[in-house]
Short mmCIF file of all heavy atoms in Angstrom, two decimals:
data_model
loop_
_atom_site.label_atom_id
_atom_site.label_comp_id
_atom_site.label_asym_id
_atom_site.label_seq_id
_atom_site.Cartn_x
_atom_site.Cartn_y
_atom_site.Cartn_z
N MET A 1126 0.80 -1.20 0.00
CA MET A 1126 0.00 0.00 0.00
C MET A 1126 0.85 1.26 0.00
O MET A 1126 0.42 2.27 -0.53
CB MET A 1126 -0.92 0.01 1.21
CG MET A 1126 -2.10 -0.89 1.07
SD MET A 1126 -3.19 -0.68 2.47
CE MET A 1126 -3.16 -2.32 3.11
N ALA A 1127 2.02 1.21 0.60
CA ALA A 1127 2.85 2.42 0.69
C ALA A 1127 3.34 2.87 -0.67
O ALA A 1127 3.67 4.04 -0.85
CB ALA A 1127 4.03 2.20 1.62
N ALA A 1128 3.36 1.97 -1.65
CA ALA A 1128 3.80 2.35 -2.98
C ALA A 1128 2.77 3.22 -3.70
O ALA A 1128 3.11 3.96 -4.60
CB ALA A 1128 4.10 1.11 -3.82
N ASP A 1129 1.53 3.13 -3.28
CA ASP A 1129 0.45 3.90 -3.90
C ASP A 1129 0.21 5.16 -3.06
O ASP A 1129 -0.25 5.07 -1.91
CB ASP A 1129 -0.83 3.06 -3.94
CG ASP A 1129 -2.00 3.77 -4.59
OD1 ASP A 1129 -1.91 4.99 -4.85
OD2 ASP A 1129 -3.01 3.11 -4.84
N PRO A 1130 0.52 6.33 -3.60
CA PRO A 1130 0.34 7.57 -2.83
C PRO A 1130 -1.06 7.75 -2.25
O PRO A 1130 -1.23 8.34 -1.20
CB PRO A 1130 0.66 8.68 -3.84
CG PRO A 1130 1.54 8.03 -4.85
CD PRO A 1130 1.06 6.60 -4.92
N ASN A 1131 -2.07 7.20 -2.91
CA ASN A 1131 -3.45 7.32 -2.42
C ASN A 1131 -3.75 6.40 -1.24
O ASN A 1131 -4.78 6.54 -0.60
CB ASN A 1131 -4.43 7.04 -3.56
CG ASN A 1131 -4.34 8.07 -4.65
OD1 ASN A 1131 -4.22 9.26 -4.37
ND2 ASN A 1131 -4.37 7.64 -5.89
N GLU A 1132 -2.87 5.44 -0.98
CA GLU A 1132 -3.09 4.47 0.09
C GLU A 1132 -2.09 4.62 1.23
O GLU A 1132 -2.21 3.93 2.24
CB GLU A 1132 -3.01 3.04 -0.47
CG GLU A 1132 -4.05 2.72 -1.51
CD GLU A 1132 -5.46 2.69 -0.94
OE1 GLU A 1132 -5.63 2.33 0.23
OE2 GLU A 1132 -6.40 3.04 -1.67
N ARG A 1133 -1.11 5.49 1.11
CA ARG A 1133 -0.06 5.62 2.13
C ARG A 1133 -0.61 5.99 3.49
O ARG A 1133 -0.04 5.63 4.51
CB ARG A 1133 0.98 6.64 1.68
CG ARG A 1133 1.84 6.11 0.57
CD ARG A 1133 2.92 7.07 0.20
NE ARG A 1133 3.66 6.50 -0.92
CZ ARG A 1133 4.60 7.13 -1.56
NH1 ARG A 1133 4.94 8.35 -1.22
NH2 ARG A 1133 5.21 6.55 -2.56
N HIS A 1134 -1.72 6.68 3.53
CA HIS A 1134 -2.31 7.06 4.81
C HIS A 1134 -2.62 5.84 5.65
O HIS A 1134 -2.59 5.88 6.88
CB HIS A 1134 -3.56 7.91 4.60
CG HIS A 1134 -4.70 7.16 3.98
ND1 HIS A 1134 -5.68 6.56 4.73
CD2 HIS A 1134 -4.99 6.89 2.68
CE1 HIS A 1134 -6.55 5.96 3.92
NE2 HIS A 1134 -6.15 6.14 2.67
N ARG A 1135 -2.92 4.71 5.02
CA ARG A 1135 -3.24 3.49 5.76
C ARG A 1135 -2.03 2.98 6.54
O ARG A 1135 -2.17 2.48 7.65
CB ARG A 1135 -3.73 2.40 4.81
CG ARG A 1135 -5.06 2.72 4.18
CD ARG A 1135 -5.46 1.61 3.23
NE ARG A 1135 -6.62 1.97 2.48
CZ ARG A 1135 -7.74 1.27 2.47
NH1 ARG A 1135 -7.83 0.17 3.19
NH2 ARG A 1135 -8.77 1.66 1.76
N VAL A 1136 -0.85 3.10 5.94
CA VAL A 1136 0.37 2.68 6.62
C VAL A 1136 0.63 3.58 7.83
O VAL A 1136 0.92 3.11 8.93
CB VAL A 1136 1.58 2.69 5.65
CG1 VAL A 1136 2.86 2.33 6.37
CG2 VAL A 1136 1.33 1.75 4.48
N THR A 1137 0.50 4.88 7.63
CA THR A 1137 0.69 5.84 8.72
C THR A 1137 -0.31 5.56 9.84
O THR A 1137 0.06 5.55 11.03
CB THR A 1137 0.53 7.28 8.20
OG1 THR A 1137 1.50 7.49 7.16
CG2 THR A 1137 0.74 8.29 9.30
N GLU A 1138 -1.55 5.31 9.50
CA GLU A 1138 -2.57 5.03 10.50
C GLU A 1138 -2.25 3.74 11.27
O GLU A 1138 -2.44 3.69 12.50
CB GLU A 1138 -3.94 4.93 9.84
CG GLU A 1138 -4.46 6.26 9.33
CD GLU A 1138 -5.66 6.13 8.41
OE1 GLU A 1138 -6.18 5.00 8.22
OE2 GLU A 1138 -6.09 7.16 7.88
N ALA A 1139 -1.76 2.73 10.58
CA ALA A 1139 -1.42 1.47 11.26
C ALA A 1139 -0.28 1.69 12.26
O ALA A 1139 -0.32 1.17 13.38
CB ALA A 1139 -1.01 0.41 10.24
N PHE A 1140 0.72 2.49 11.88
CA PHE A 1140 1.82 2.79 12.80
C PHE A 1140 1.33 3.61 13.99
O PHE A 1140 1.76 3.41 15.12
CB PHE A 1140 2.96 3.51 12.09
CG PHE A 1140 3.79 2.62 11.20
CD1 PHE A 1140 4.33 3.13 10.04
CD2 PHE A 1140 4.05 1.30 11.52
CE1 PHE A 1140 5.11 2.33 9.22
CE2 PHE A 1140 4.81 0.49 10.71
CZ PHE A 1140 5.36 1.00 9.55
N GLN A 1141 0.43 4.54 13.76
CA GLN A 1141 -0.12 5.34 14.85
C GLN A 1141 -0.92 4.47 15.82
O GLN A 1141 -0.83 4.63 17.03
CB GLN A 1141 -0.98 6.48 14.30
CG GLN A 1141 -0.18 7.56 13.62
CD GLN A 1141 -1.05 8.58 12.89
OE1 GLN A 1141 -2.21 8.32 12.57
NE2 GLN A 1141 -0.47 9.74 12.62
N GLN A 1142 -1.68 3.54 15.28
CA GLN A 1142 -2.45 2.63 16.14
C GLN A 1142 -1.51 1.75 16.96
O GLN A 1142 -1.74 1.52 18.15
CB GLN A 1142 -3.38 1.76 15.30
CG GLN A 1142 -4.54 2.52 14.71
CD GLN A 1142 -5.39 1.66 13.78
OE1 GLN A 1142 -5.14 0.47 13.62
NE2 GLN A 1142 -6.38 2.28 13.16
N ALA A 1143 -0.45 1.26 16.33
CA ALA A 1143 0.51 0.41 17.03
C ALA A 1143 1.19 1.18 18.16
O ALA A 1143 1.33 0.67 19.28
CB ALA A 1143 1.55 -0.14 16.05
N SER A 1144 1.62 2.41 17.90
CA SER A 1144 2.28 3.19 18.94
C SER A 1144 1.29 3.54 20.06
O SER A 1144 1.67 3.60 21.23
CB SER A 1144 2.93 4.46 18.37
OG SER A 1144 1.96 5.37 17.91
N GLY A 1145 0.03 3.70 19.72
CA GLY A 1145 -0.99 3.95 20.73
C GLY A 1145 -1.19 2.76 21.66
O GLY A 1145 -1.66 2.91 22.78
N GLN A 1146 -0.83 1.58 21.19
CA GLN A 1146 -0.92 0.36 22.00
C GLN A 1146 0.40 0.04 22.70
O GLN A 1146 0.56 -1.03 23.28
CB GLN A 1146 -1.34 -0.82 21.12
CG GLN A 1146 -2.70 -0.67 20.50
CD GLN A 1146 -3.80 -0.68 21.56
OE1 GLN A 1146 -3.77 -1.47 22.49
NE2 GLN A 1146 -4.76 0.20 21.42
N GLY A 1147 1.38 0.96 22.59
CA GLY A 1147 2.66 0.76 23.26
C GLY A 1147 3.72 0.07 22.43
O GLY A 1147 4.77 -0.30 22.94
N MET A 1148 3.48 -0.11 21.15
CA MET A 1148 4.46 -0.76 20.28
C MET A 1148 5.31 0.33 19.62
O MET A 1148 4.80 1.19 18.92
CB MET A 1148 3.74 -1.58 19.21
CG MET A 1148 4.65 -2.46 18.41
SD MET A 1148 3.79 -3.43 17.14
CE MET A 1148 2.52 -4.25 18.07
N TYR A 1149 6.61 0.29 19.88
CA TYR A 1149 7.49 1.34 19.36
C TYR A 1149 8.57 0.81 18.43
O TYR A 1149 9.30 1.58 17.82
CB TYR A 1149 8.13 2.12 20.50
CG TYR A 1149 7.08 2.82 21.33
CD1 TYR A 1149 6.70 2.33 22.56
CD2 TYR A 1149 6.43 3.94 20.83
CE1 TYR A 1149 5.72 2.96 23.30
CE2 TYR A 1149 5.44 4.58 21.56
CZ TYR A 1149 5.10 4.08 22.80
OH TYR A 1149 4.13 4.71 23.52
N VAL A 1150 8.71 -0.50 18.32
CA VAL A 1150 9.67 -1.10 17.40
C VAL A 1150 8.89 -2.06 16.51
O VAL A 1150 8.22 -2.97 17.01
CB VAL A 1150 10.79 -1.85 18.15
CG1 VAL A 1150 11.73 -2.52 17.16
CG2 VAL A 1150 11.55 -0.90 19.05
N ILE A 1151 8.96 -1.85 15.20
CA ILE A 1151 8.22 -2.69 14.26
C ILE A 1151 9.16 -3.10 13.13
O ILE A 1151 9.88 -2.27 12.56
CB ILE A 1151 7.02 -1.93 13.66
CG1 ILE A 1151 6.05 -1.54 14.76
CG2 ILE A 1151 6.33 -2.76 12.59
CD1 ILE A 1151 4.92 -0.66 14.30
N ARG A 1152 9.16 -4.36 12.81
CA ARG A 1152 9.92 -4.86 11.67
C ARG A 1152 8.94 -5.07 10.53
O ARG A 1152 7.89 -5.70 10.71
CB ARG A 1152 10.60 -6.18 12.01
CG ARG A 1152 11.41 -6.72 10.84
CD ARG A 1152 12.09 -8.00 11.20
NE ARG A 1152 13.17 -7.68 12.12
CZ ARG A 1152 13.98 -8.59 12.65
NH1 ARG A 1152 13.80 -9.87 12.38
NH2 ARG A 1152 14.94 -8.24 13.46
N THR A 1153 9.24 -4.50 9.39
CA THR A 1153 8.35 -4.63 8.24
C THR A 1153 9.05 -5.35 7.10
O THR A 1153 10.28 -5.44 7.06
CB THR A 1153 7.87 -3.26 7.74
OG1 THR A 1153 9.00 -2.52 7.28
CG2 THR A 1153 7.16 -2.49 8.83
N TRP A 1154 8.27 -5.82 6.18
CA TRP A 1154 8.78 -6.46 4.99
C TRP A 1154 8.15 -5.74 3.82
O TRP A 1154 6.92 -5.63 3.72
CB TRP A 1154 8.39 -7.93 4.99
CG TRP A 1154 8.83 -8.72 3.82
CD1 TRP A 1154 9.97 -8.58 3.11
CD2 TRP A 1154 8.13 -9.82 3.23
NE1 TRP A 1154 10.03 -9.51 2.12
CE2 TRP A 1154 8.91 -10.29 2.17
CE3 TRP A 1154 6.92 -10.44 3.49
CZ2 TRP A 1154 8.53 -11.35 1.37
CZ3 TRP A 1154 6.55 -11.50 2.70
CH2 TRP A 1154 7.35 -11.95 1.66
N ALA A 1155 8.99 -5.21 2.95
CA ALA A 1155 8.48 -4.46 1.80
C ALA A 1155 8.88 -5.14 0.50
O ALA A 1155 9.98 -5.67 0.38
CB ALA A 1155 9.04 -3.04 1.84
N PHE A 1156 7.97 -5.13 -0.45
CA PHE A 1156 8.29 -5.64 -1.77
C PHE A 1156 7.36 -4.99 -2.79
O PHE A 1156 6.28 -4.53 -2.45
CB PHE A 1156 8.17 -7.16 -1.84
CG PHE A 1156 6.76 -7.67 -1.68
CD1 PHE A 1156 5.95 -7.88 -2.78
CD2 PHE A 1156 6.24 -7.92 -0.42
CE1 PHE A 1156 4.66 -8.35 -2.63
CE2 PHE A 1156 4.94 -8.39 -0.26
CZ PHE A 1156 4.15 -8.60 -1.37
N ALA A 1157 7.84 -4.92 -3.99
CA ALA A 1157 7.04 -4.44 -5.11
C ALA A 1157 7.55 -5.16 -6.35
O ALA A 1157 8.70 -5.00 -6.73
CB ALA A 1157 7.16 -2.93 -5.27
N ASP A 1158 6.72 -5.99 -6.91
CA ASP A 1158 7.11 -6.76 -8.08
C ASP A 1158 6.67 -6.06 -9.34
O ASP A 1158 5.49 -5.93 -9.61
CB ASP A 1158 6.48 -8.16 -8.04
CG ASP A 1158 6.98 -8.99 -6.88
OD1 ASP A 1158 8.12 -8.74 -6.44
OD2 ASP A 1158 6.24 -9.87 -6.43
N GLY A 1159 7.65 -5.60 -10.12
CA GLY A 1159 7.34 -4.98 -11.40
C GLY A 1159 6.65 -3.64 -11.25
O GLY A 1159 6.88 -2.90 -10.31
N GLY A 1160 5.80 -3.34 -12.19
CA GLY A 1160 5.10 -2.07 -12.17
C GLY A 1160 5.97 -0.93 -12.68
O GLY A 1160 7.07 -1.13 -13.18
N ASP A 1161 5.47 0.27 -12.54
CA ASP A 1161 6.19 1.43 -13.03
C ASP A 1161 7.40 1.80 -12.18
O ASP A 1161 8.34 2.40 -12.66
CB ASP A 1161 5.25 2.65 -13.08
CG ASP A 1161 4.14 2.47 -14.10
OD1 ASP A 1161 4.33 1.69 -15.05
OD2 ASP A 1161 3.09 3.11 -13.93
N GLU A 1162 7.34 1.48 -10.89
CA GLU A 1162 8.39 1.89 -9.98
C GLU A 1162 8.72 0.74 -9.02
O GLU A 1162 8.20 0.67 -7.91
CB GLU A 1162 7.93 3.13 -9.20
CG GLU A 1162 9.06 3.92 -8.63
CD GLU A 1162 8.58 5.25 -8.06
OE1 GLU A 1162 7.44 5.66 -8.32
OE2 GLU A 1162 9.37 5.86 -7.36
N PRO A 1163 9.59 -0.19 -9.42
CA PRO A 1163 9.90 -1.34 -8.55
C PRO A 1163 10.70 -0.93 -7.33
O PRO A 1163 11.44 0.07 -7.36
CB PRO A 1163 10.71 -2.26 -9.46
CG PRO A 1163 11.34 -1.34 -10.46
CD PRO A 1163 10.34 -0.24 -10.67
N LEU A 1164 10.57 -1.68 -6.25
CA LEU A 1164 11.32 -1.42 -5.03
C LEU A 1164 12.81 -1.73 -5.24
O LEU A 1164 13.67 -0.95 -4.89
CB LEU A 1164 10.77 -2.26 -3.88
CG LEU A 1164 11.56 -2.23 -2.58
CD1 LEU A 1164 11.63 -0.81 -2.03
CD2 LEU A 1164 10.95 -3.17 -1.56
N GLN A 1165 13.09 -2.89 -5.81
CA GLN A 1165 14.48 -3.29 -6.03
C GLN A 1165 14.83 -3.04 -7.49
O GLN A 1165 14.35 -3.72 -8.39
CB GLN A 1165 14.70 -4.75 -5.65
CG GLN A 1165 16.14 -5.17 -5.73
CD GLN A 1165 16.37 -6.51 -5.06
OE1 GLN A 1165 16.74 -6.56 -3.90
NE2 GLN A 1165 16.16 -7.58 -5.79
N ILE A 1166 15.70 -2.07 -7.73
CA ILE A 1166 16.08 -1.67 -9.08
C ILE A 1166 16.97 -2.74 -9.71
O ILE A 1166 16.82 -3.07 -10.89
CB ILE A 1166 16.80 -0.31 -9.05
CG1 ILE A 1166 15.86 0.75 -8.47
CG2 ILE A 1166 17.29 0.09 -10.43
CD1 ILE A 1166 16.55 2.04 -8.11
N SER A 1167 17.91 -3.25 -8.94
CA SER A 1167 18.80 -4.34 -9.34
C SER A 1167 19.20 -5.06 -8.06
O SER A 1167 18.95 -4.55 -6.96
CB SER A 1167 20.01 -3.79 -10.09
OG SER A 1167 20.76 -2.92 -9.27
N PRO A 1168 19.80 -6.25 -8.15
CA PRO A 1168 20.13 -6.99 -6.93
C PRO A 1168 20.92 -6.13 -5.93
O PRO A 1168 21.98 -5.60 -6.23
CB PRO A 1168 20.96 -8.16 -7.44
CG PRO A 1168 20.45 -8.38 -8.83
CD PRO A 1168 20.17 -7.00 -9.35
N GLY A 1169 20.34 -5.94 -4.75
CA GLY A 1169 20.98 -5.16 -3.70
C GLY A 1169 20.88 -3.66 -3.85
O GLY A 1169 21.39 -2.91 -3.03
N ASN A 1170 20.20 -3.18 -4.88
CA ASN A 1170 20.06 -1.74 -5.14
C ASN A 1170 18.58 -1.38 -5.07
O ASN A 1170 17.81 -1.80 -5.93
CB ASN A 1170 20.65 -1.39 -6.51
CG ASN A 1170 20.70 0.09 -6.76
OD1 ASN A 1170 20.46 0.89 -5.87
ND2 ASN A 1170 21.01 0.45 -7.98
N TYR A 1171 18.21 -0.59 -4.06
CA TYR A 1171 16.80 -0.30 -3.81
C TYR A 1171 16.43 1.14 -4.16
O TYR A 1171 17.24 2.05 -4.04
CB TYR A 1171 16.45 -0.57 -2.34
CG TYR A 1171 16.60 -2.02 -2.00
CD1 TYR A 1171 17.80 -2.51 -1.51
CD2 TYR A 1171 15.56 -2.90 -2.21
CE1 TYR A 1171 17.96 -3.86 -1.22
CE2 TYR A 1171 15.70 -4.24 -1.94
CZ TYR A 1171 16.90 -4.72 -1.44
OH TYR A 1171 17.04 -6.04 -1.16
N ASN A 1172 15.22 1.33 -4.59
CA ASN A 1172 14.68 2.64 -4.89
C ASN A 1172 14.24 3.27 -3.57
O ASN A 1172 13.20 2.93 -3.01
CB ASN A 1172 13.49 2.49 -5.85
CG ASN A 1172 12.85 3.81 -6.21
OD1 ASN A 1172 13.18 4.84 -5.65
ND2 ASN A 1172 11.94 3.76 -7.15
N GLU A 1173 15.04 4.18 -3.04
CA GLU A 1173 14.78 4.79 -1.74
C GLU A 1173 13.44 5.53 -1.69
O GLU A 1173 12.83 5.63 -0.63
CB GLU A 1173 15.91 5.73 -1.35
CG GLU A 1173 17.24 5.03 -1.12
CD GLU A 1173 17.24 4.16 0.13
OE1 GLU A 1173 16.56 4.52 1.10
OE2 GLU A 1173 17.91 3.12 0.11
N ASN A 1174 12.98 6.05 -2.81
CA ASN A 1174 11.70 6.77 -2.83
C ASN A 1174 10.53 5.86 -2.46
O ASN A 1174 9.53 6.32 -1.93
CB ASN A 1174 11.45 7.41 -4.20
CG ASN A 1174 12.38 8.56 -4.45
OD1 ASN A 1174 12.78 9.28 -3.54
ND2 ASN A 1174 12.76 8.75 -5.71
N MET A 1175 10.66 4.58 -2.74
CA MET A 1175 9.60 3.64 -2.41
C MET A 1175 9.54 3.36 -0.91
O MET A 1175 8.55 2.85 -0.40
CB MET A 1175 9.81 2.31 -3.14
CG MET A 1175 9.68 2.42 -4.64
SD MET A 1175 7.99 2.73 -5.14
CE MET A 1175 7.25 1.17 -4.78
N LEU A 1176 10.61 3.68 -0.18
CA LEU A 1176 10.67 3.39 1.25
C LEU A 1176 10.26 4.58 2.10
O LEU A 1176 10.19 4.48 3.31
CB LEU A 1176 12.09 2.96 1.62
CG LEU A 1176 12.59 1.71 0.89
CD1 LEU A 1176 14.06 1.47 1.19
CD2 LEU A 1176 11.76 0.50 1.26
N ARG A 1177 9.98 5.70 1.49
CA ARG A 1177 9.60 6.90 2.23
C ARG A 1177 8.09 7.05 2.26
O ARG A 1177 7.41 6.76 1.29
CB ARG A 1177 10.20 8.14 1.56
CG ARG A 1177 11.69 8.17 1.64
CD ARG A 1177 12.22 9.48 1.12
NE ARG A 1177 13.66 9.47 1.18
CZ ARG A 1177 14.45 9.46 0.12
NH1 ARG A 1177 13.94 9.51 -1.09
NH2 ARG A 1177 15.75 9.42 0.28
N LEU A 1178 7.60 7.55 3.36
CA LEU A 1178 6.16 7.83 3.46
C LEU A 1178 5.90 9.29 3.21
O LEU A 1178 6.62 10.14 3.47
CB LEU A 1178 5.64 7.46 4.85
CG LEU A 1178 5.58 5.98 5.14
CD1 LEU A 1178 5.12 5.75 6.57
CD2 LEU A 1178 4.63 5.30 4.20
#
């Protein structure tokens, strides 16, 4: 969802809910297969813009 600018609010809301419950460390897994803007440009090389909210 974070890759879609129209859906990024959902990620922010989930983090806000988690911190409201006392959770301050979260491990996430991100991926984007293909599309116009892939997460991994080449092996070990990531598109940093996809990781920003």
Side-chain angles (χ1 to χ4, degrees):
M1126 283 186 240
D1129 181 350
N1131 295 319
E1132 298 293 328
R1133 287 184 183 174
H1134 68 94
R1135 293 178 188 238
V1136 177
T1137 302
E1138 290 167 5
F1140 285 146
Q1141 289 171 340
Q1142 289 175 3
S1144 67
Q1146 297 294 318
M1148 189 180 306
Y1149 298 104
V1150 177
I1151 299 174
R1152 180 179 288 179
T1153 63
W1154 179 34
F1156 67 92
D1158 296 333
D1161 295 335
E1162 201 171 347
L1164 173 60
Q1165 186 167 266
I1166 300 167
S1167 61
N1170 187 9
Y1171 295 92
N1172 180 351
E1173 294 291 327
N1174 290 328
M1175 294 291 289
L1176 300 173
R1177 294 187 181 112
L1178 289 177

